[in-house]
Amino acid sequence: FENRLVKLLGVKYPIIQGGMAWVATAELAAAVSNAGGLGIIGCGAAPVEVVKQEILKAKEMTDKPFGVNVMLLSPHADSIMEMLYDEKISVVTTGAGNPGKYIDKLKNVGTKVIPVVPSVALAKRMEKLGADAVIVEGTEAGGHIGELTTFAIVPQVVDNVDIPVIAAGGIADGRGFMAAISLGAEGVQIGTRFVCSNECIAHDQYKEKIVNSKDRDAIVTGRITGHPVRIIKNKLSRKIINLEKDIENKDEIDKLTVGSLKKAAIDGDVTSGSVMAGQSSGLIKDIKSCKEIIDDIITEVEDIKGKLYKF
Ligand SMILES: O=C(O)COc1ccc(-c2c[nH]c(CNC(=O)Nc3ncc(Sc4ccccn4)s3)n2)cc1
C-alpha cells in the first residue's frame, strides 16, 4: 500500500479509525495503530485534562503514530488545541466545524491537519488554508452528518482539490475500501465498524444494538436544529421525530441528542440514549478485534484485486 496518504501518515494501511466522542479512547486508538492503521483519540466534549490523560495512555500503549480528533462544537476546543500545540501530536483531525484558525499553529509544530468536510466548498477552503488532506464524510456516517452521500461527494471533492482525499461514511469492509479507492480517495475513515470491536469501551448493549440493526435502522434526526445526527431507531428517536413537528422544540432536540450519547455509549441505556451509528450498521454482524477488522479488510481488498483483471 504505497500512496501519498500512507507516506503522509507513516502507517502500513490507509485506514483511519473515526475519532468518536466518548468511545474513541487510548485503548481503541492504540489497537488500531498497532494493527497498521491510524488510531484516533476522540475528544468529544471532554475537558483538556481528560484528553491529555488519553494521549499519555496512548503513548504507553503504542509506538506507532496516532491522532486526536477535535470536535469543534466542543466548548473546550480552544484549550485542547493549545495543549495539542505542546504535545506535538502526529495527526489532528477535526469535525463539526471549520478549523481554519488552528491550522497554521498545528503545522508549525509538525502536526498534520486533516479536517472532516461535508462539501466541495469546505474542502477547497481547507486546502487553501493548508490542510494536509481532507476526510470527505458522506451522509451514511453516524453522528453529526452532512446531506451528500459518500458515493456522490467523494469524486466531486477529488476533482476539486490536489491534497489526498479520505472517504468516510458507510464504509465497514474491503468492498467499501475498494469503492473509495475507485472514487479517487487514497484511504478511508471507519467509525461504526470500530465501535463493534473488542477494544472499544462502548457498552456491550450499544454494540449489540448495532449488530442487531438492519439496513433502515440508522435514521437521521434533528435536521430542524441545523445539526442533523444519524442514530439507531429507538424510543429516543421516536420522541425526537415527534418533537421535530414543532420548530419550537429546536434547542431541546439538540440537548436531547448530544446529552444522551453518554447514556447509550457508557451507561448502556440504548432505549433512551442516542445510539449514534452509521448506515453500515446493517453490515456489522459481529464484535472482533481491531486487528481482525483490519486484516479482514485487507484480505477482501486482495480478493477484489484478484477479480479485477477480468474487466
Ligand atoms: O462551515 C462550517 O463552519 C462547518 O461546516 C461543517 C459542517 C459539518 C461538518 C461535519 C460533518 N461531519 C463531521 C464529522 N463528524 C462529526 O463531527 N460527528 C459527530 N457526531 C457527534 C458529534 S457530537 C455533536 C455535537 C453537537 C451536535 C451534534 N453532534 S460530532 N463534521 C464539518 C464542517
Side-chain angles (χ1 to χ4, degrees):
F1 283 83
E2 259 310 298
N3 66 20
R4 293 184 300 169
L5 189 64
V6 165
K7 279 206 274 293
L8 176 78
L9 300 179
V11 292
K12 192 174 176 193
Y13 307 121
I15 297 173
I16 300 176
Q17 158 246 315
M20 303 158 283
W22 288 106
V23 298
T25 60
E27 287 82 8
L28 182 60
V32 170
S33 290
N34 286 333
L38 184 79
I40 303 271
I41 291 168
C43 300
V48 59
E49 334 46 77
V50 168
V51 175
K52 181 146 187 188
Q53 280 313 311
E54 287 306 311
I55 291 170
L56 296 178
K57 233 161 78 180
K59 284 179 175 173
E60 300 280 303
M61 299 174 85
T62 183
D63 53 14
K64 304 273 190 317
F66 65 87
V68 173
N69 178 53
V70 181
M71 203 271 287
L72 295 170
L73 289 171
S74 165
H76 304 289
D78 285 341
S79 56
I80 287 171
M81 286 296 190
E82 290 297 323
M83 180 268 294
L84 293 177
Y85 301 147
D86 299 337
E87 283 301 314
K88 296 188 178 32
I89 293 291
S90 175
V91 178
V92 166
T93 63
T94 63
N98 180 333
K101 64 181 180 177
Y102 305 113
I103 293 180
D104 285 342
K105 278 192 254 179
L106 285 166
K107 288 179 70 84
N108 287 344
V109 295
T111 297
K112 274 91 72 189
V113 182
I114 309 182
V116 171
V117 297
S119 67
V120 169
L122 198 60
K124 288 165 84 168
R125 205 177 324 149
M126 291 299 105
E127 177 181 48
K128 230 193 301 305
L129 288 171
D132 293 285
V134 283
I135 298 167
V136 177
E137 185 197 71
T139 191
E140 295 92 327
H144 179 45
I145 47 169
E147 288 294 312
L148 296 170
T149 63
T150 304
F151 209 82
I153 182 68
V154 169
Q156 292 181 55
V157 172
V158 168
D159 289 347
N160 281 279
V161 301
D162 296 319
I163 52 177
V165 167
I166 296 142
I171 300 167
D173 63 18
R175 294 172 295 182
F177 182 98
M178 285 301 273
I181 301 300
S182 301
L183 295 172
E186 295 185 56
V188 296
Q189 177 168 281
I190 294 179
T192 307
R193 173 66 266 192
F194 280 118
V195 172
C196 295
S197 67
N198 300 332
E199 295 87 348
C200 182
I201 58 129
H203 196 285
D204 285 348
Q205 294 281 359
Y206 194 105
K207 297 179 184 178
E208 278 312 300
K209 186 79 181 167
I210 293 170
V211 167
N212 297 330
S213 68
K214 299 191 304 297
D215 52 350
R216 300 175 337 132
D217 290 344
I219 61 165
V220 180
T221 59
R223 278 197 179 86
I224 62 163
T225 71
H227 293 136
V229 176
R230 190 176 297 281
I231 58 178
I232 303 281
K233 264 185 207 167
N234 65 3
K235 207 167 81 193
L236 176 76
S237 67
R238 283 187 284 279
K239 179 175 176 186
I240 292 173
I241 300 278
N242 273 327
L243 287 173
E244 290 198 75
K245 291 180 180 118
D246 179 350
I247 184 84
E248 296 300 303
N249 298 318
K250 194 165 106 54
D251 294 342
E252 188 190 348
I253 290 169
D254 240 353
K255 249 197 328 293
L256 263 179
T257 309
V258 184
S260 52
L261 171 60
K262 177 177 185 277
K263 208 191 304 183
I266 306 300
D267 309 337
D269 177 352
V270 292
T271 49
S272 59
S274 67
V275 183
M276 293 189 182
Q279 290 183 319
S280 67
S281 298
L283 262 182
I284 298 165
K285 294 294 163 221
D286 53 11
I287 314 284
K288 48 192 182 182
S289 72
C290 291
K291 179 166 177 27
E292 285 167 312
I293 289 171
I294 290 179
D295 289 349
D296 289 352
I297 288 171
I298 300 306
T299 304
E300 281 182 308
V301 164
E302 301 306 338
D303 288 352
I304 294 167
K305 279 183 188 168
K307 282 187 273 187
L308 284 183
Y309 73 88
K310 288 182 185 142
F311 288 91

